Amino acid sequence: MPERRTVALVTLGCARNEVDSEELAGRLAADGWELVEEAADADVAVVNTCGFVEAAKKDSVDALLEANDLKDHGRTQAVVAVGCMAERYGKELAEALPEADGVLGFDDYADISDRLRTILSGGVHASHTPRDRRKLLPISPARRQDATSVALPGHAQDTAPEDLPAGVAPASGPRAPLRRRLDSSPVASVKLASGCDRRCSFCAIPSFRGSFISRRPSDVLGETRWLAEQGVKEVMLVSENNTSYGKDLGDIRLLETLLPELAAVDGIERIRVSYLQPAEMRPGLIDVLTSTEKVAPYFDLSFQHSAPGVLRAMRRFGDTDRFLELLETIRGKAPQAGARSNFIVGFPGETEEDLAELERFLSEARLDAIGVFGYSDEDGTEAATYENKVDPEVVAERLERVSRLAEELTAQRAEERLGEVVEVLVEEIDETGAVLGRGAHQAPETDGQTLLSTDGEPEVGRMVEAKVVATEGVDLVAEPLERRGGGASTGEAAR
């Protein structure tokens, strides 16, 4: 009997990549591969790369080189690049990084097991030639659902094999993706859609992720039910633009009807929606996000800037006052709602007046989390061709200045939450015994966390109602409320 091959998946970048890695894990497990946590323990290390900005690309290259070093010390025989950077650069990446034994694009995902076996046996699989994936789907959104020949990670159009091993999806139907969880976290992401039809001048993502295409509600529901069976308590809906969900299915308001159905899935305690476009926010969606039980009043709004001239050069809409009005509308319906955003400073043509306008917005917006990035040219984007580039030293100065302001403002916003009662999902009890979790306004990885000051031992995955008593930067310290009649505290105290 041949020795069972082992594989480790190393994931970089966003939550969408995490979903893709779990799809690859499901495909590999279904074909008999043994999944291991550490690359040093694997015959082949698969690095799911990020290709968004220069810093992320550097991290991806470093991860590939680190995995390659294992070939001299342990079991690892091959290192393979997948993900956005591999898709975006293909042969160019393979030539620049010979340490990678394979560079596989999205079209290879359906045959990932065969590809890895070929590479491990000493064969060569030709790196793909990058292409503009926006051209693979019909221009008309209504016709995209029939384009089943286009590879869409996380959509899984192929039929699942029978007799899947334990812990591997699909939960229902042939369209549900093969998926195997790579950790035991009570939080998991679910893809709502893929791609983007927006044409922001600084962003290359649509060129290698393709045009926008929604998953069918039944598929999203089926995967959420399967995750609940695996012990997941919070589901985060991800895509490049969740506010466009349903437009290719004939109903731009489909998210408003899907959210209550997801919240009703047995075992799910919280549904979170990420990646919202301010220009596409609509009253009905705000109502559902702020009033539906188990749906977090959480608004991950992609503002990017607030000075009108900069936003127009970015091919985006809005301004400081309109953005503040949007936030005021949200908080009028849910005063404790969480709001976060990312911003680019040093965009071509940005003036000191533009930067001051951005600082005015940040100072009045009361955002819970703020990400700030310095502009850099991205291959193939419109902004890379712009004149009036801001000097790199000035970009660095503005980045430091706005980052410092953001840190002060988010700490102040956390202090505003003193005395609030928050629902905390317990995610970790660390080696010191500290109980760590997140409130409804805190998304995984990006928005801080909540430390529960308790002598008890709440279980990971339990929802705890607690009162905020202190802050540490963006992080909160909260004391669990006692259940009526005494005993350990949980979210049941409010019911």
Side-chain angles (χ1 to χ4, degrees):
M1 184 176 181
E3 181 184 3
R4 194 175 191 191
R5 294 295 196 180
T6 57
V7 59
L9 286 141
V10 179
T11 307
L12 295 95
C14 64
R16 300 186 295 275
N17 258 16
E18 294 171 5
V19 176
D20 291 350
S21 285
E22 293 198 347
E23 177 187 347
L24 292 174
R27 291 182 179 278
L28 290 165
D31 202 39
W33 288 75
E34 179 181 350
L35 294 157
V36 296
E37 291 186 12
E38 300 297 331
D41 300 326
D43 295 312
V44 56
V46 177
V47 180
N48 192 347
T49 61
C50 179
F52 181 39
V53 294
E54 285 303 317
K57 286 183 278 189
K58 181 182 183 303
D59 288 344
S60 295
V61 170
D62 289 345
L64 287 163
L65 293 174
E66 183 178 342
N68 182 70
D69 289 341
L70 297 173
K71 291 192 285 189
D72 296 328
H73 307 295
R75 175 170 180 159
T76 308
Q77 302 172 43
V79 176
V80 175
V82 299
C84 292
M85 189 175 180
E87 173 66 33
R88 184 176 180 183
Y89 294 104
K91 291 181 177 179
E92 182 182 343
L93 176 61
E95 292 169 359
L97 197 70
E99 291 85 355
D101 299 286
V103 176
L104 307 180
F106 298 149
D107 293 335
D108 293 305
Y109 282 20
D111 301 307
I112 186 66
S113 182
D114 289 341
R115 300 289 187 264
L116 297 190
R117 290 184 190 281
T118 296
I119 292 168
L120 273 179
S121 65
V124 176
H125 178 72
S127 302
H128 78 106
T129 300
R131 51 184 174 167
D132 189 337
R133 296 191 74 86
R134 290 171 293 191
K135 299 178 180 179
L136 302 183
L137 290 168
I139 294 176
S140 168
R143 295 179 54 205
R144 292 175 188 169
Q145 292 289 327
D146 298 325
T148 55
S149 62
V150 178
L152 299 169
H155 289 238
Q157 304 97 317
D158 53 334
T159 301
E162 298 178 358
D163 300 323
L164 291 172
V168 177
S172 64
R175 290 174 56 95
L178 286 172
R179 181 168 180 175
R180 184 184 187 277
R181 300 221 61 208
L182 291 172
D183 59 38
S184 57
S185 169
V187 183
S189 296
V190 171
K191 275 198 178 180
L192 198 60
S194 292
C196 186
D197 286 342
R198 302 185 72 87
R199 293 295 178 262
C200 302
S201 63
F202 57 84
C203 184
I205 289 176
S207 67
F208 58 85
R209 278 290 184 179
S211 297
F212 184 88
I213 183 167
S214 304
R215 292 181 67 197
R216 294 186 182 278
S218 57
D219 297 340
V220 178
L221 274 165
E223 190 170 352
T224 298
R225 292 189 183 103
W226 177 80
L227 287 167
E229 293 168 1
Q230 305 301 305
V232 169
K233 299 300 181 183
E234 176 179 325
V235 163
M236 185 164 73
L237 300 178
V238 299
S239 75
E240 280 73 19
N241 178 9
N242 281 333
T243 35
S244 283
Y245 180 69
K247 73 174 188 178
D248 52 321
L249 294 171
D251 185 1
I252 191 60
R253 295 177 178 81
L254 196 54
L255 184 56
E256 285 94 305
T257 57
L258 176 60
L259 284 171
E261 294 183 70
L262 292 171
V265 171
D266 287 343
I268 296 298
E269 294 291 335
R270 187 153 67 202
I271 299 292
R272 184 184 303 277
V273 184
S274 61
Y275 305 110
L276 301 170
Q277 286 292 338
E280 297 181 35
M281 290 300 294
R282 47 196 179 269
L285 180 56
I286 295 174
D287 287 342
V288 171
L289 287 170
T290 54
S291 65
T292 307
E293 185 179 4
K294 295 188 178 181
V295 173
Y298 175 80
F299 293 81
D300 176 13
L301 295 160
S302 179
F303 290 125
Q304 303 299 343
H305 212 283
S306 74
V310 175
L311 286 168
R312 301 307 173 269
M314 290 179 168
R315 304 296 182 204
R316 297 178 66 84
F317 306 94
D319 55 45
T320 295
D321 292 335
R322 275 187 271 185
F323 291 164
L324 290 174
E325 288 173 7
L326 173 59
L327 291 169
E328 183 179 358
T329 298
I330 290 168
R331 289 174 177 138
K333 296 178 179 294
Q336 294 184 352
R340 77 165 323 276
S341 192
N342 293 326
F343 299 89
I344 298 172
V345 297
F347 193 80
E350 182 190 61
T351 64
E352 280 294 330
E353 290 75 16
D354 293 328
L355 193 68
E357 183 69 0
L358 174 58
E359 290 173 323
R360 178 172 82 88
F361 171 68
L362 293 175
S363 298
E364 298 182 31
R366 298 169 55 230
L367 298 173
D368 293 280
I370 299 170
V372 187
F373 301 88
Y375 172 82
S376 62
D377 287 339
E378 282 297 314
D379 299 334
T381 62
E382 180 184 355
T385 68
Y386 285 178
E387 298 179 354
N388 299 322
K389 295 285 173 63
V390 180
D391 185 273
E393 290 186 2
V394 176
V395 174
E397 290 171 0
R398 292 179 180 178
L399 175 60
E400 182 180 358
R401 168 177 155 187
V402 177
S403 296
R404 186 166 55 248
L405 174 64
E407 186 175 349
E408 294 172 358
L409 292 171
T410 51
Q412 290 174 15
R413 176 63 182 134
E415 290 176 356
E416 291 180 20
R417 294 192 179 274
L418 288 170
E420 282 189 5
V421 174
V422 292
E423 293 279 343
V424 180
L425 177 63
V426 177
E427 293 187 5
E428 178 187 0
I429 301 175
D430 69 15
E431 62 276 4
T432 69
V435 180
L436 303 173
R438 289 178 300 101
H441 69 286
Q442 297 170 316
E445 306 296 335
T446 59
D447 299 348
Q449 59 187 3
T450 299
L451 170 67
L452 290 176
S453 55
T454 174
D455 294 329
E457 294 186 3
E459 297 176 1
V460 170
R462 195 171 186 180
M463 196 72 78
V464 177
E465 188 176 45
K467 183 177 181 179
V468 180
V469 296
T471 65
E472 298 176 0
V474 296
D475 297 333
L476 305 181
V477 179
E479 291 182 350
L481 301 178
E482 290 188 356
R483 183 185 297 175
R484 292 189 182 94
S489 62
T490 71
E492 297 172 2
R495 301 191 184 103

